[in-house]
mmCIF file of all heavy atoms in Angstrom:
data_model
loop_
_atom_site.group_PDB
_atom_site.id
_atom_site.type_symbol
_atom_site.label_atom_id
_atom_site.label_comp_id
_atom_site.label_asym_id
_atom_site.label_seq_id
_atom_site.Cartn_x
_atom_site.Cartn_y
_atom_site.Cartn_z
ATOM 1 N N PHE M 1 143.957 90.995 44.704
ATOM 2 C CA PHE M 1 144.948 90.022 44.160
ATOM 3 C C PHE M 1 144.876 88.734 45.049
ATOM 4 O O PHE M 1 144.824 87.652 44.465
ATOM 5 C CB PHE M 1 146.328 90.689 44.239
ATOM 6 C CG PHE M 1 147.396 89.757 43.704
ATOM 7 C CD1 PHE M 1 147.759 89.866 42.344
ATOM 8 C CD2 PHE M 1 148.048 88.842 44.498
ATOM 9 C CE1 PHE M 1 148.729 89.022 41.852
ATOM 10 C CE2 PHE M 1 149.026 88.022 43.995
ATOM 11 C CZ PHE M 1 149.408 88.089 42.641
ATOM 12 N N ASN M 2 144.883 88.873 46.364
ATOM 13 C CA ASN M 2 144.932 87.697 47.246
ATOM 14 C C ASN M 2 143.589 86.937 47.092
ATOM 15 O O ASN M 2 143.591 85.732 47.201
ATOM 16 C CB ASN M 2 145.128 88.134 48.654
ATOM 17 C CG ASN M 2 146.576 88.539 48.914
ATOM 18 O OD1 ASN M 2 147.515 88.241 48.161
ATOM 19 N ND2 ASN M 2 146.806 89.310 49.984
ATOM 20 N N ALA M 3 142.486 87.682 46.912
ATOM 21 C CA ALA M 3 141.171 86.999 46.787
ATOM 22 C C ALA M 3 141.170 86.130 45.535
ATOM 23 O O ALA M 3 140.654 84.979 45.599
ATOM 24 C CB ALA M 3 140.095 88.023 46.699
ATOM 25 N N GLN M 4 141.737 86.653 44.454
ATOM 26 C CA GLN M 4 141.783 85.837 43.221
ATOM 27 C C GLN M 4 142.613 84.559 43.391
ATOM 28 O O GLN M 4 142.189 83.471 42.947
ATOM 29 C CB GLN M 4 142.373 86.687 42.096
ATOM 30 C CG GLN M 4 141.515 87.857 41.640
ATOM 31 C CD GLN M 4 142.186 88.686 40.608
ATOM 32 O OE1 GLN M 4 142.360 88.282 39.442
ATOM 33 N NE2 GLN M 4 142.674 89.843 40.999
ATOM 34 N N ALA M 5 143.707 84.736 44.093
ATOM 35 C CA ALA M 5 144.590 83.535 44.315
ATOM 36 C C ALA M 5 143.880 82.504 45.160
ATOM 37 O O ALA M 5 143.941 81.292 44.931
ATOM 38 C CB ALA M 5 145.912 83.971 44.985
ATOM 39 N N ALA M 6 143.153 82.939 46.222
ATOM 40 C CA ALA M 6 142.438 82.063 47.031
ATOM 41 C C ALA M 6 141.285 81.378 46.320
ATOM 42 O O ALA M 6 141.068 80.151 46.529
ATOM 43 C CB ALA M 6 141.890 82.846 48.307
ATOM 44 N N LEU M 7 140.555 82.094 45.564
ATOM 45 C CA LEU M 7 139.438 81.500 44.788
ATOM 46 C C LEU M 7 139.957 80.461 43.795
ATOM 47 O O LEU M 7 139.311 79.421 43.614
ATOM 48 C CB LEU M 7 138.712 82.618 44.015
ATOM 49 C CG LEU M 7 137.934 83.615 44.905
ATOM 50 C CD1 LEU M 7 137.557 84.859 44.043
ATOM 51 C CD2 LEU M 7 136.671 82.940 45.440
ATOM 52 N N MET M 8 141.083 80.759 43.152
ATOM 53 C CA MET M 8 141.613 79.742 42.220
ATOM 54 C C MET M 8 141.984 78.517 42.950
ATOM 55 O O MET M 8 141.765 77.385 42.468
ATOM 56 C CB MET M 8 142.856 80.364 41.517
ATOM 57 C CG MET M 8 142.614 81.415 40.482
ATOM 58 S SD MET M 8 144.108 82.276 40.088
ATOM 59 C CE MET M 8 145.254 80.919 39.774
ATOM 60 N N ARG M 9 142.629 78.622 44.076
ATOM 61 C CA ARG M 9 143.060 77.485 44.865
ATOM 62 C C ARG M 9 141.875 76.624 45.246
ATOM 63 O O ARG M 9 141.914 75.357 45.104
ATOM 64 C CB ARG M 9 143.859 77.908 46.087
ATOM 65 C CG ARG M 9 144.410 76.780 46.923
ATOM 66 C CD ARG M 9 145.198 77.281 48.111
ATOM 67 N NE ARG M 9 144.371 78.016 49.061
ATOM 68 C CZ ARG M 9 144.422 79.317 49.202
ATOM 69 N NH1 ARG M 9 145.218 80.032 48.479
ATOM 70 N NH2 ARG M 9 143.631 79.874 50.111
ATOM 71 N N VAL M 10 140.808 77.229 45.766
ATOM 72 C CA VAL M 10 139.619 76.507 46.221
ATOM 73 C C VAL M 10 138.966 75.796 45.086
ATOM 74 O O VAL M 10 138.553 74.606 45.145
ATOM 75 C CB VAL M 10 138.661 77.475 46.961
ATOM 76 C CG1 VAL M 10 137.364 76.774 47.212
ATOM 77 C CG2 VAL M 10 139.268 77.908 48.244
ATOM 78 N N ALA M 11 138.774 76.528 43.961
ATOM 79 C CA ALA M 11 138.115 75.923 42.802
ATOM 80 C C ALA M 11 138.966 74.765 42.240
ATOM 81 O O ALA M 11 138.381 73.734 41.834
ATOM 82 C CB ALA M 11 137.965 76.960 41.689
ATOM 83 N N GLY M 12 140.279 74.866 42.245
ATOM 84 C CA GLY M 12 141.114 73.816 41.754
ATOM 85 C C GLY M 12 141.026 72.594 42.619
ATOM 86 O O GLY M 12 140.914 71.355 42.072
ATOM 87 N N GLU M 13 140.916 72.735 43.949
ATOM 88 C CA GLU M 13 140.782 71.585 44.878
ATOM 89 C C GLU M 13 139.367 70.914 44.719
ATOM 90 O O GLU M 13 139.328 69.690 44.847
ATOM 91 C CB GLU M 13 140.899 72.090 46.286
ATOM 92 C CG GLU M 13 142.359 72.565 46.640
ATOM 93 C CD GLU M 13 142.426 73.248 48.001
ATOM 94 O OE1 GLU M 13 141.367 73.505 48.571
ATOM 95 O OE2 GLU M 13 143.592 73.570 48.451
ATOM 96 N N ALA M 14 138.410 71.701 44.297
ATOM 97 C CA ALA M 14 137.086 71.110 44.101
ATOM 98 C C ALA M 14 136.849 70.639 42.616
ATOM 99 O O ALA M 14 135.789 70.234 42.313
ATOM 100 C CB ALA M 14 136.009 72.098 44.502
ATOM 101 N N ASP M 15 137.870 70.805 41.785
ATOM 102 C CA ASP M 15 137.729 70.385 40.418
ATOM 103 C C ASP M 15 136.596 71.158 39.677
ATOM 104 O O ASP M 15 135.754 70.591 39.033
ATOM 105 C CB ASP M 15 137.520 68.909 40.224
ATOM 106 C CG ASP M 15 137.683 68.429 38.769
ATOM 107 O OD1 ASP M 15 138.393 69.063 38.032
ATOM 108 O OD2 ASP M 15 137.068 67.396 38.394
ATOM 109 N N VAL M 16 136.574 72.493 39.948
ATOM 110 C CA VAL M 16 135.572 73.311 39.363
ATOM 111 C C VAL M 16 136.261 74.318 38.384
ATOM 112 O O VAL M 16 137.275 74.861 38.766
ATOM 113 C CB VAL M 16 134.789 74.124 40.456
ATOM 114 C CG1 VAL M 16 133.925 75.209 39.819
ATOM 115 C CG2 VAL M 16 133.914 73.125 41.219
ATOM 116 N N GLU M 17 135.704 74.534 37.221
ATOM 117 C CA GLU M 17 136.232 75.505 36.270
ATOM 118 C C GLU M 17 135.793 76.880 36.662
ATOM 119 O O GLU M 17 134.602 77.245 36.574
ATOM 120 C CB GLU M 17 135.734 75.135 34.855
ATOM 121 C CG GLU M 17 136.347 76.034 33.779
ATOM 122 C CD GLU M 17 135.869 75.605 32.390
ATOM 123 O OE1 GLU M 17 135.365 74.425 32.232
ATOM 124 O OE2 GLU M 17 135.886 76.446 31.516
ATOM 125 N N LEU M 18 136.718 77.681 37.116
ATOM 126 C CA LEU M 18 136.445 79.011 37.650
ATOM 127 C C LEU M 18 136.757 80.105 36.599
ATOM 128 O O LEU M 18 137.762 80.130 35.985
ATOM 129 C CB LEU M 18 137.319 79.275 38.897
ATOM 130 C CG LEU M 18 137.154 80.641 39.541
ATOM 131 C CD1 LEU M 18 135.746 80.813 40.131
ATOM 132 C CD2 LEU M 18 138.269 80.877 40.597
ATOM 133 N N THR M 19 135.788 81.025 36.513
ATOM 134 C CA THR M 19 135.994 82.260 35.721
ATOM 135 C C THR M 19 135.911 83.435 36.696
ATOM 136 O O THR M 19 134.998 83.646 37.340
ATOM 137 C CB THR M 19 134.919 82.385 34.604
ATOM 138 O OG1 THR M 19 135.077 81.383 33.638
ATOM 139 C CG2 THR M 19 135.104 83.781 33.860
ATOM 140 N N LEU M 20 137.016 84.228 36.679
ATOM 141 C CA LEU M 20 136.987 85.468 37.510
ATOM 142 C C LEU M 20 136.485 86.631 36.672
ATOM 143 O O LEU M 20 136.945 86.891 35.561
ATOM 144 C CB LEU M 20 138.453 85.730 37.946
ATOM 145 C CG LEU M 20 138.944 84.751 38.984
ATOM 146 C CD1 LEU M 20 140.438 84.941 39.268
ATOM 147 C CD2 LEU M 20 138.201 84.874 40.296
ATOM 148 N N PHE M 21 135.548 87.263 37.169
ATOM 149 C CA PHE M 21 134.806 88.385 36.572
ATOM 150 C C PHE M 21 135.239 89.676 37.299
ATOM 151 O O PHE M 21 135.008 89.790 38.528
ATOM 152 C CB PHE M 21 133.324 88.109 36.671
ATOM 153 C CG PHE M 21 132.433 89.112 35.899
ATOM 154 C CD1 PHE M 21 132.935 90.130 35.181
ATOM 155 C CD2 PHE M 21 131.061 88.992 36.009
ATOM 156 C CE1 PHE M 21 132.115 91.026 34.534
ATOM 157 C CE2 PHE M 21 130.211 89.878 35.336
ATOM 158 C CZ PHE M 21 130.746 90.887 34.648
ATOM 159 N N HIS M 22 135.894 90.585 36.620
ATOM 160 C CA HIS M 22 136.424 91.783 37.231
ATOM 161 C C HIS M 22 135.390 92.951 37.136
ATOM 162 O O HIS M 22 135.078 93.397 36.066
ATOM 163 C CB HIS M 22 137.713 92.224 36.558
ATOM 164 C CG HIS M 22 138.788 91.172 36.656
ATOM 165 N ND1 HIS M 22 139.714 91.169 37.695
ATOM 166 C CD2 HIS M 22 139.075 90.079 35.905
ATOM 167 C CE1 HIS M 22 140.517 90.171 37.553
ATOM 168 N NE2 HIS M 22 140.182 89.504 36.478
ATOM 169 N N GLY M 23 134.856 93.360 38.342
ATOM 170 C CA GLY M 23 133.894 94.458 38.379
ATOM 171 C C GLY M 23 134.622 95.734 38.675
ATOM 172 O O GLY M 23 134.837 96.136 39.789
ATOM 173 N N ARG M 24 134.955 96.451 37.571
ATOM 174 C CA ARG M 24 135.783 97.706 37.728
ATOM 175 C C ARG M 24 134.962 98.890 37.405
ATOM 176 O O ARG M 24 133.939 98.884 36.701
ATOM 177 C CB ARG M 24 137.001 97.639 36.738
ATOM 178 C CG ARG M 24 137.676 96.306 36.680
ATOM 179 C CD ARG M 24 138.902 96.404 35.862
ATOM 180 N NE ARG M 24 138.578 96.792 34.464
ATOM 181 C CZ ARG M 24 139.422 97.434 33.610
ATOM 182 N NH1 ARG M 24 140.662 97.704 34.044
ATOM 183 N NH2 ARG M 24 139.049 97.752 32.429
ATOM 184 N N GLY M 25 135.436 100.062 37.944
ATOM 185 C CA GLY M 25 134.915 101.305 37.542
ATOM 186 C C GLY M 25 135.793 101.964 36.469
ATOM 187 O O GLY M 25 136.701 101.327 35.975
ATOM 188 N N GLY M 26 135.554 103.252 36.267
ATOM 189 C CA GLY M 26 136.320 103.902 35.166
ATOM 190 C C GLY M 26 137.722 104.363 35.653
ATOM 191 O O GLY M 26 138.692 104.336 34.849
ATOM 192 N N THR M 27 137.824 104.811 36.892
ATOM 193 C CA THR M 27 139.095 105.410 37.402
ATOM 194 C C THR M 27 139.937 104.323 38.053
ATOM 195 O O THR M 27 139.444 103.238 38.388
ATOM 196 C CB THR M 27 138.825 106.543 38.357
ATOM 197 O OG1 THR M 27 138.176 105.976 39.515
ATOM 198 C CG2 THR M 27 137.983 107.602 37.789
ATOM 199 N N ALA M 28 141.220 104.654 38.207
ATOM 200 C CA ALA M 28 142.137 103.725 38.953
ATOM 201 C C ALA M 28 141.638 103.466 40.355
ATOM 202 O O ALA M 28 141.860 102.374 40.886
ATOM 203 C CB ALA M 28 143.537 104.294 38.941
ATOM 204 N N SER M 29 141.005 104.413 40.979
ATOM 205 C CA SER M 29 140.446 104.229 42.328
ATOM 206 C C SER M 29 139.471 103.096 42.399
ATOM 207 O O SER M 29 139.275 102.469 43.508
ATOM 208 C CB SER M 29 139.765 105.544 42.798
ATOM 209 O OG SER M 29 140.701 106.644 42.773
ATOM 210 N N ARG M 30 138.829 102.751 41.276
ATOM 211 C CA ARG M 30 137.864 101.680 41.299
ATOM 212 C C ARG M 30 138.293 100.583 40.321
ATOM 213 O O ARG M 30 137.490 99.855 39.774
ATOM 214 C CB ARG M 30 136.517 102.252 40.864
ATOM 215 C CG ARG M 30 135.915 103.236 41.852
ATOM 216 C CD ARG M 30 134.567 103.773 41.455
ATOM 217 N NE ARG M 30 133.636 102.716 41.305
ATOM 218 C CZ ARG M 30 132.826 102.540 40.288
ATOM 219 N NH1 ARG M 30 132.843 103.410 39.278
ATOM 220 N NH2 ARG M 30 131.974 101.595 40.207
ATOM 221 N N GLY M 31 139.573 100.409 40.178
ATOM 222 C CA GLY M 31 140.131 99.307 39.369
ATOM 223 C C GLY M 31 140.217 99.562 37.896
ATOM 224 O O GLY M 31 140.572 98.594 37.127
ATOM 225 N N GLY M 32 139.942 100.745 37.429
ATOM 226 C CA GLY M 32 139.896 101.039 35.979
ATOM 227 C C GLY M 32 141.339 101.137 35.400
ATOM 228 O O GLY M 32 142.284 101.211 36.120
ATOM 229 N N GLY M 33 141.337 101.108 34.084
ATOM 230 C CA GLY M 33 142.589 101.247 33.343
ATOM 231 C C GLY M 33 142.635 100.286 32.178
ATOM 232 O O GLY M 33 141.691 99.554 32.004
ATOM 233 N N PRO M 34 143.672 100.312 31.399
ATOM 234 C CA PRO M 34 143.800 99.455 30.193
ATOM 235 C C PRO M 34 143.685 97.973 30.559
ATOM 236 O O PRO M 34 144.139 97.553 31.614
ATOM 237 C CB PRO M 34 145.165 99.772 29.655
ATOM 238 C CG PRO M 34 145.535 101.128 30.198
ATOM 239 C CD PRO M 34 144.842 101.212 31.513
ATOM 240 N N LEU M 35 143.060 97.186 29.678
ATOM 241 C CA LEU M 35 142.860 95.826 29.974
ATOM 242 C C LEU M 35 144.134 95.006 30.025
ATOM 243 O O LEU M 35 144.234 93.997 30.773
ATOM 244 C CB LEU M 35 141.951 95.213 28.897
ATOM 245 C CG LEU M 35 140.468 95.729 28.855
ATOM 246 C CD1 LEU M 35 139.703 95.163 27.727
ATOM 247 C CD2 LEU M 35 139.824 95.442 30.167
ATOM 248 N N ASP M 36 145.158 95.387 29.254
ATOM 249 C CA ASP M 36 146.462 94.652 29.379
ATOM 250 C C ASP M 36 147.061 94.787 30.751
ATOM 251 O O ASP M 36 147.691 93.858 31.252
ATOM 252 C CB ASP M 36 147.401 95.097 28.238
ATOM 253 C CG ASP M 36 147.690 96.557 28.258
ATOM 254 O OD1 ASP M 36 146.878 97.320 28.859
ATOM 255 O OD2 ASP M 36 148.646 96.994 27.657
ATOM 256 N N ARG M 37 146.918 95.958 31.323
ATOM 257 C CA ARG M 37 147.472 96.179 32.711
ATOM 258 C C ARG M 37 146.675 95.384 33.727
ATOM 259 O O ARG M 37 147.188 94.886 34.692
ATOM 260 C CB ARG M 37 147.472 97.658 33.076
ATOM 261 C CG ARG M 37 148.463 98.489 32.211
ATOM 262 C CD ARG M 37 148.134 99.938 32.286
ATOM 263 N NE ARG M 37 148.238 100.454 33.601
ATOM 264 C CZ ARG M 37 149.396 100.867 34.204
ATOM 265 N NH1 ARG M 37 150.460 100.815 33.532
ATOM 266 N NH2 ARG M 37 149.331 101.301 35.449
ATOM 267 N N LEU M 38 145.370 95.251 33.474
ATOM 268 C CA LEU M 38 144.522 94.431 34.371
ATOM 269 C C LEU M 38 145.040 92.947 34.359
ATOM 270 O O LEU M 38 145.226 92.330 35.373
ATOM 271 C CB LEU M 38 143.035 94.484 33.913
ATOM 272 C CG LEU M 38 142.109 93.476 34.621
ATOM 273 C CD1 LEU M 38 142.030 93.761 36.135
ATOM 274 C CD2 LEU M 38 140.759 93.504 33.990
ATOM 275 N N VAL M 39 145.235 92.433 33.125
ATOM 276 C CA VAL M 39 145.733 91.042 33.039
ATOM 277 C C VAL M 39 147.102 90.872 33.715
ATOM 278 O O VAL M 39 147.343 89.866 34.405
ATOM 279 C CB VAL M 39 145.798 90.618 31.511
ATOM 280 C CG1 VAL M 39 146.433 89.280 31.385
ATOM 281 C CG2 VAL M 39 144.414 90.605 30.941
ATOM 282 N N ASP M 40 147.991 91.846 33.484
ATOM 283 C CA ASP M 40 149.308 91.803 34.086
ATOM 284 C C ASP M 40 149.263 91.769 35.612
ATOM 285 O O ASP M 40 150.158 91.285 36.313
ATOM 286 C CB ASP M 40 150.175 93.000 33.628
ATOM 287 C CG ASP M 40 150.737 92.822 32.239
ATOM 288 O OD1 ASP M 40 150.710 91.650 31.766
ATOM 289 O OD2 ASP M 40 151.160 93.802 31.645
ATOM 290 N N SER M 41 148.191 92.303 36.159
ATOM 291 C CA SER M 41 148.122 92.484 37.610
ATOM 292 C C SER M 41 147.363 91.346 38.303
ATOM 293 O O SER M 41 147.094 91.418 39.480
ATOM 294 C CB SER M 41 147.392 93.838 37.966
ATOM 295 O OG SER M 41 148.125 94.865 37.436
ATOM 296 N N THR M 42 146.996 90.304 37.541
ATOM 297 C CA THR M 42 146.318 89.161 38.148
ATOM 298 C C THR M 42 147.277 88.049 38.567
ATOM 299 O O THR M 42 148.386 87.988 38.055
ATOM 300 C CB THR M 42 145.313 88.563 37.154
ATOM 301 O OG1 THR M 42 145.989 88.215 35.962
ATOM 302 C CG2 THR M 42 144.220 89.601 36.766
#
């Protein structure tokens, strides 16, 4: 979560259009789960 916030801040300061790509596994231990919950957690 904090990494995403930091990346957004840096990209905004540099006027760069940033796309965050989520590299998840299947289980919750590796970030898996429904996509709506992923979006809610960003």
Side-chain angles (χ1 to χ4, degrees):
F1 184 91
N2 288 340
Q4 293 176 73
L7 290 167
M8 288 167 49
R9 183 178 64 254
V10 170
E13 292 170 354
D15 192 28
V16 169
E17 185 179 337
L18 177 68
T19 296
L20 290 169
F21 185 2
H22 298 269
R24 314 185 304 155
T27 63
S29 302
R30 298 181 56 229
L35 294 175
D36 56 340
R37 291 163 62 84
L38 170 65
V39 173
D40 283 344
S41 299
T42 59

